[in-house]
Amino acid sequence: MPKHHRKVKKYVQKKAFTSPGTLAYVGKEVPIDTVVKLVEFNEEMYQQKIVRVMSECHPDFNENHTNWLDVDGVHEVSIIESIGKHYHLHPLLLEDVLNTEQKPKLEHFGEHNIFVIMKMLQYNELINEIESEHVGLVLGKNYVISFQEVHKSDVFGAIFERLKASVGKTRKGKADYLFYSLCDLVIDNYYVVIEKFSEKLEELEIKIIENPHPNDQTLLYELRRSLMQIRKAILPLRDIFGALTREDSQLIQPSTNIYLRDVYDHVLQTLETIESYREMIENIQNIYLTSLSNKMNSVMKTLTVFTAIFMPLTFIAGVYGMNFENMPELRNPHGYFYTLGSMVIIGIVFWVYFKWKKYV
Amino acid sequence: MPKHHRKVKKYVQKKAFTSPGTLAYVGKEVPIDTVVKLVEFNEEMYQQKIVRVMSECHPDFNENHTNWLDVDGVHEVSIIESIGKHYHLHPLLLEDVLNTEQKPKLEHFGEHNIFVIMKMLQYNELINEIESEHVGLVLGKNYVISFQEVHKSDVFGAIFERLKASVGKTRKGKADYLFYSLCDLVIDNYYVVIEKFSEKLEELEIKIIENPHPNDQTLLYELRRSLMQIRKAILPLRDIFGALTREDSQLIQPSTNIYLRDVYDHVLQTLETIESYREMIENIQNIYLTSLSNKMNSVMKTLTVFTAIFMPLTFIAGVYGMNFENMPELRNPHGYFYTLGSMVIIGIVFWVYFKWKKYV
Amino acid sequence: MPKHHRKVKKYVQKKAFTSPGTLAYVGKEVPIDTVVKLVEFNEEMYQQKIVRVMSECHPDFNENHTNWLDVDGVHEVSIIESIGKHYHLHPLLLEDVLNTEQKPKLEHFGEHNIFVIMKMLQYNELINEIESEHVGLVLGKNYVISFQEVHKSDVFGAIFERLKASVGKTRKGKADYLFYSLCDLVIDNYYVVIEKFSEKLEELEIKIIENPHPNDQTLLYELRRSLMQIRKAILPLRDIFGALTREDSQLIQPSTNIYLRDVYDHVLQTLETIESYREMIENIQNIYLTSLSNKMNSVMKTLTVFTAIFMPLTFIAGVYGMNFENMPELRNPHGYFYTLGSMVIIGIVFWVYFKWKKYV
Amino acid sequence: MPKHHRKVKKYVQKKAFTSPGTLAYVGKEVPIDTVVKLVEFNEEMYQQKIVRVMSECHPDFNENHTNWLDVDGVHEVSIIESIGKHYHLHPLLLEDVLNTEQKPKLEHFGEHNIFVIMKMLQYNELINEIESEHVGLVLGKNYVISFQEVHKSDVFGAIFERLKASVGKTRKGKADYLFYSLCDLVIDNYYVVIEKFSEKLEELEIKIIENPHPNDQTLLYELRRSLMQIRKAILPLRDIFGALTREDSQLIQPSTNIYLRDVYDHVLQTLETIESYREMIENIQNIYLTSLSNKMNSVMKTLTVFTAIFMPLTFIAGVYGMNFENMPELRNPHGYFYTLGSMVIIGIVFWVYFKWKKYV
Amino acid sequence: MPKHHRKVKKYVQKKAFTSPGTLAYVGKEVPIDTVVKLVEFNEEMYQQKIVRVMSECHPDFNENHTNWLDVDGVHEVSIIESIGKHYHLHPLLLEDVLNTEQKPKLEHFGEHNIFVIMKMLQYNELINEIESEHVGLVLGKNYVISFQEVHKSDVFGAIFERLKASVGKTRKGKADYLFYSLCDLVIDNYYVVIEKFSEKLEELEIKIIENPHPNDQTLLYELRRSLMQIRKAILPLRDIFGALTREDSQLIQPSTNIYLRDVYDHVLQTLETIESYREMIENIQNIYLTSLSNKMNSVMKTLTVFTAIFMPLTFIAGVYGMNFENMPELRNPHGYFYTLGSMVIIGIVFWVYFKWKKYV
Ligand SMILES: [Mg+2]
Ligand SMILES: [Mg+2]
Ligand SMILES: [Mg+2]
Ligand SMILES: [Mg+2]
Ligand SMILES: [Mg+2]
Ligand SMILES: [Mg+2]
Ligand SMILES: [Mg+2]
Ligand SMILES: [Mg+2]
Ligand SMILES: [Mg+2]
Ligand SMILES: [Mg+2]
Ligand SMILES: [Mg+2]
Ligand SMILES: [Mg+2]
Ligand SMILES: [Mg+2]
Ligand SMILES: [Mg+2]
Ligand SMILES: [Mg+2]
Ligand SMILES: [Mg+2]
Ligand SMILES: [Mg+2]
Ligand SMILES: [Mg+2]
Ligand SMILES: [Mg+2]
Ligand SMILES: [Mg+2]
Ligand SMILES: [Mg+2]
Ligand SMILES: [Mg+2]
Ligand SMILES: [Mg+2]
Ligand SMILES: [Mg+2]
Ligand SMILES: [Mg+2]
Ligand SMILES: [Mg+2]
Ligand SMILES: [Mg+2]
Ligand SMILES: [Mg+2]
Ligand SMILES: [Mg+2]
Ligand SMILES: [Mg+2]
Ligand SMILES: [Mg+2]
């Protein structure tokens, strides 16, 4: 929590009240250099190089190839700025690339660019928290520029492999199909995160139904927070891919449309799963609360049975413990045994009564 | 629960990060072979055969008949793939046919195919759970291809019978009417499942109103889960059949439209029933919780009555049990009886008081 | 409840998996014969006859009159079928007429017929339940066909009277105005049912606010069920009359439109009343639960006061009841009276303390 | 409540099942005569007279003036009927004018009339209830007819004053501006009622936060009912003035449009205020319930502390009150004092323990 | 609270029932004079002056410059009125500028003016409350008029600085870009307020999870109120900037559109953050309530354990404290020690039993 808090403060300090389009990175500090890779490919060839200065790249990219500029790290403002200048990207687009607090969005910059912000999610088993990585994708006529935060695992590695190996349709496709493939990868990843989440939730569900513990309430609360975090990353994608599906931009070919619809369908599916987990959490919460009430009832019944049985008996013992000079029963040689017998009978009668009232 | 969990893991392992359109079955393992049946019929004739290799089938089907290719089992990827190739079905369509986790959906593949995914539901009385079967229907110009998971009972058996016996309009109808008949069958089945559900819910309702038990909370929770499962299968059909009703595809004749509207109407009706059961479950839950509070009140009143009556009496007995040398009452020959009398009177007074306060 | 349950089972047995348009009555068994009445009228004349065989009726009705065919009883499938054949009604229309489980709906059959299903509600004071009667209205060019379940009181009797007596606009109106008058009658009846409901709810409200009882929870639950039943009958009418109001069918004249809007307005008004009763029930439920908590608090305070006052006193009595040989206080001739005095003081101090803490 | 109840019954008795357009007053009985005033004015002149028979009024009103017919009292059916006939008002319009149970609505009668029903609200301090007055406004080409229930204070008095004094734009305006001014007055009044409401709510809020009392629950419930009553009067106005704002009727000039939008904006503002009070009531309810639980916890802790301290002590006293012949401690001359000392220590230990557990 | 209350009363007294367009200030009393500044600038020049009388300003502003009239203080009605007359602003616009209770809104006055009301929020650390400042912006062809309540810190100071220093795009932009910059500033400020809010909420969250206290309920309630206040200020901006984004007014150039979309996006982002805090508050509330129930359970278990262990023991002591003449055990020389032993065993048995039942 404090970590999250500090991040927001930084955002406010760096960004509020500055002139619009002022570029400032607001995410975590990163000690690694930004790596910019240029991939050029078509059905026949595939070629990949590390870009050191932007002048190495043709300002219009190579028209015979599909071009993919993959930027690994958004914390070096000057690099992002130079890429922006080289390819005439709008300052507001760059602002959103740098602002790792920016929620998912779709933006059109004239006829030239379609710009999408998404969140790549990862379950960190060590600290039991979901980590979110900021991803920006720019689709142009014959190119895709992808921006991502630096991370241990290169999330777009699978696409590099597919392109190199020429597996599937990816290599035959144009820039829009590459753009789709990158989106698809991010969304496929949500299934993995949701699966991890569902494992934890179902464990807790079984535990709470069988043997609830005061701590479980806090665990449930943390799961609910994680679920809300996942939901916040995915919910805006419904509108974004819904819009991309209905898009008639020249940047997206009709044949790619059915693939975007498939992504859209998967987004809906994950959202529905999230919704059902949400409802499940609510129901588990209710079960937990009811079991608390049930336990209370059971505790109170125990208390009542003990009190109701022993109070009258103790009273009787008290009566015969009084020191009046004239108490005829005390002189009766069997008085003690009669009294003990009455006590046993009274105890049994109450016991049976409470048994019948389902108190024991 | 663990079973469900394992299934999801399999799905993630098989599907995430593969190239789009990669075919992989993700459902339960099935030891039975896939059976492919081809039914050809028109108003005059009816003919049915088992298809062993796809080359036995004409790639455009028989133009004078209505053709129905019924595929029983979607676990053999190679068979599904060969059918897909033979009839030029889109890879994404086949992906959804194999993905038994895919939620209900409607997809158009150009002007050639309308594709619907539905869930056939069955109440398994043995394990008290609802079983869901994945059903895919492809409507073409003069054919319907139906895909279903292998199951003991052949769900489309009733249609075969009707076609053979030439009962009703089914035989006179074209492919769109057959398509409608299959949809209608799946939805008719929901009535059966909901009926089973309502039987169980109404049993539990009566039990909880008359004599609630801590276990009932868990039973109610399981019923709620079942209801949500049914709802998840039916809810998307509202949009699907709503869209089919407004469809002006050449694949659906105007005369079939009113029948699709009837299916749509039945979907709405089941959803409304589900909604009212949902509300009923919520209300039963409230009754259960309130009855817990009522019981608690009653237990506490019992405890209070016992305590409030016997505490003062025990105190009095304690007073006359003290060993002071000078306690005049003790020497009074009737002191004991006066004291006993006072105790009885005090007891009665408290009893009447609590009677009046509705504690007993 | 069991009765309702049996009805659903029958519906499932009779209807599921049959060929579409198969006619089957699914309501309660009725020992009375169906009565078919034909009313012909215009501004000048009024004529009414019992129809025994459909051939007695002209297949296009009398073009100079407004024709009303009133069918009392939908349990004799053969009669409904012969009417359907005689007037070329669609099999799905007849299916809905026979299916007393069918919810309210509006259906257009080409340009020829507007078909409406409604529910006539009646409060049965004897069993304290709302009874629902299935009503189907078919509007044609110069005729209305009305179908209703057989009932003791003829619901459309008021219209017959108005037509005979030539009261109001009914006799001057055409078929569409008659159709409106029948709808209006059904909806006017909802006011009566809601009034009965409100009487019962307000009684219960006063009782729960003044003196709640565990049983009231169940009564409230039953009222909630009744309200939901009323709502289920009326809610679909909002869409139905909303649509009829915007209708530009040739079957409805512009001058009738304002009357349909009035019906629509009354539907909205009843729905709003229902909504406010729903909210009221929820609030009463909250009051009930809070009063339970308040009572529990009061019970616990009583218990605590008794315990906290008498426990210390009993303890003191216990101390001087000990049998130590050397207990100086016991030998003090005023020890007993000092002790009694201290007890009284301690008791008063605690009493005042709890008085101050608002425990008593 | 009983009063409200009786009114509804009357409505049902008088109106249900009568022929549409049958006129019947359903409100409270009123002993005062209906007063009909005709006001004629334009920028130059202003003239007001009491109308005794409708023939005194020109059937098309005076074309050079703006005409305002103000009807004070809707309980004399014959007068309303004669006004309706004189100015050709639709029977359904008159029905709604007489039906004081009619909710707010907007109706167009051809191109001739715009008809609005509103509710004037007034807070009756004596019985602590909101009183609602039925107001109907008819806008014609050069006239406004206003209908209102008889009331002590003439609600439209402010407009008469403005017209006489020629203050503001009212006198320069045409019939549509007068119509707007009357609507504006009704809505301005809602601010007054909501202010009264907010005073009471904020008083109760402070009281419940500082020192909740069982009765407060009922007070809160009554405030919630009042708020719902206000909301019911205003909510339909959102749609009504939303529609009037988009109106392109010839009866409303473009220059009046911005004034209607201002009224619409004020309706939205009051609705939002109501919504926030609603949320506030819900939150206060939660605070109340939580404070009940907190109190219960505190009561139970008190009980537990007393029990846990005195039970062991009383037990020890009981042990040394036993009458065994051989109890060595009893013979110890300091036994009594050792025992008393132990008791004090045990008491202190428990007290410290419960202090540490925050029970005291 | 009382302060807020008084303000509303004033509003009602001043505004209700006055003629529409009557100008009256309804906010807090302000002892400072209104300051009117005129800023004229274009890419080349920048010039600022204090306006004392409106005649110093050209009624059409300077056509070669962008003109910004900044009005600091809306409490002097005569000044606002003279500005309104000088620039032909609609009386309803001026009414909304003066009405500090007016909620955010967008209004078009013909083709001449776009008018926006917003709320500038500030967190007052001293009284722990959010303060709201009323801001009105009028966009004309070549000018912006900004109205704001007098405040210690000049909120638009940052824009003056940017304009003077010619930083960013602000100076190159026309009136619409200045208008956008002012809106952007107000919305940037929401991030600051929400950050302050989130700090307080997360502190309270940690406290309640770790160690809840009855007071926390009230703190949570106050935070919820603050959040609702923030939400009320921002929610209407969603519609307002949504509409401005789709605007095709001549007053807004296409190139400014993407900047307005950025503001719109930031509004959505703050609203989503608010929504998630709202959900978080609800969840914390649930945690708080559950922890109350858990504590109650724990208290009751403690009570039950004490009662159930000491009641039987005290009873046994009571039995042997009875004064019967013939009680054989009393004469047994080891009777006392056997009894003590039994008591210890009984105590241990109960202790183990409750340990096993998780009561201790
Ligand atoms: Mg995928
Ligand atoms: Mg989101
Ligand atoms: Mg969210
Ligand atoms: Mg898919
Ligand atoms: Mg999918
Ligand atoms: Mg669901
Ligand atoms: Mg069916
Ligand atoms: Mg679904
Ligand atoms: Mg769902
Ligand atoms: Mg049907
Ligand atoms: Mg139906
Ligand atoms: Mg319902
Ligand atoms: Mg709930
Ligand atoms: Mg009516
Ligand atoms: Mg319904
Ligand atoms: Mg009406
Ligand atoms: Mg009405
Ligand atoms: Mg309402
Ligand atoms: Mg609630
Ligand atoms: Mg006003
Ligand atoms: Mg309403
Ligand atoms: Mg205004
Ligand atoms: Mg306003
Ligand atoms: Mg709101
Ligand atoms: Mg609000
Ligand atoms: Mg900004
Ligand atoms: Mg708002
Ligand atoms: Mg931005
Ligand atoms: Mg943003
Ligand atoms: Mg959310
Ligand atoms: Mg809740």
Side-chain angles (χ1 to χ4, degrees), chain A residues 5 107 221 225 296 320, chain E residues 199 205 261 296 300 323:
Chain A
H5 174 212
E107 199 79 53
Y221 175 68
R225 270 189 89 141
M296 183 66 112
Y320 291 113
Chain E
E199 273 179 45
E205 183 200 19
R261 249 153 63 200
M296 181 68 110
M300 294 314 298
N323 297 322

Side-chain angles (χ1 to χ4, degrees), chain C residues 59-60 82-91 93 112-113 143:
Chain C
D60 291 328
S82 70
I83 294 170
K85 258 181 208 152
H86 198 71
Y87 292 119
H88 308 290
L89 304 175
H90 197 283
L93 188 161
H112 310 303
N113 287 133
Y143 62 91

